[in-house]
Amino acid sequence: MAAAALVQYVVLRGDLARPPQSWPLGAVVAQGCHAALAAAHTHRQHPDTRAYLELGGAMRTVVLEAPDEASLTALAETLKQHSIDHEVWTEQPENTATCLALRPYPKDQVHQHLKKFKLLK
């Protein structure tokens, strides 16, 4: 398998940046960073994660938008049912799920579970 085919998907809640939540952009970006790092760290021994991290500046990350917490939680459940490695980032002390990230995967192994989510804008 070519390492170049590896992608890390990050799914952020789009509602965090909009009223009534209105989180600052930096806070929203931090959620994605936390989730991506947590997924890479937790699955650091997986060969796909190792190959992805070796890519350096050629790493490919796709950031998608979940409309709200319920859709993010539903996605996490779907991924769990299909044994797809991922991490949900839960912001404390609010105890709110804000983002999830998959470990790096070949796109064709996971894309079907993510295709209903659009790129985050």
Side-chain angles (χ1 to χ4, degrees):
M1 168 186 22
L6 295 170
V7 178
Q8 184 173 29
Y9 284 96
V10 176
V11 185
L12 261 167
R13 282 177 48 194
D15 66 322
L16 295 176
R18 293 190 286 272
Q21 307 268 7
S22 301
W23 286 28
L25 179 60
V28 177
V29 171
Q31 302 307 301
C33 295
H34 291 321
L37 284 166
H41 178 73
T42 300
H43 303 286
R44 65 191 174 278
Q45 300 302 337
H46 192 284
D48 285 346
T49 302
R50 290 177 139 172
Y52 179 82
L53 293 172
E54 288 293 319
L55 292 170
M59 288 185 280
R60 183 151 180 253
T61 305
V62 176
V63 182
L64 303 173
E65 177 179 348
D68 52 31
E69 190 173 10
S71 60
L72 189 73
T73 303
L75 173 60
E77 190 54 42
T78 298
L79 296 175
K80 187 175 171 186
Q81 288 168 2
H82 290 89
S83 301
I84 295 173
D85 297 333
H86 67 283
E87 295 296 316
V88 175
W89 189 259
T90 303
E91 185 65 5
Q92 299 300 341
E94 298 88 349
N95 202 37
T96 302
T98 57
C99 184
L100 72 73
L102 281 62
R103 70 160 169 80
Y105 270 94
K107 181 179 177 177
D108 59 1
Q109 287 184 19
V110 294
H111 180 71
Q112 68 269 25
H113 303 298
L114 302 163
K115 63 185 176 199
K116 75 175 186 178
F117 297 95
K118 300 198 175 349
L119 290 173
L120 180 68
K121 301 233 190 257

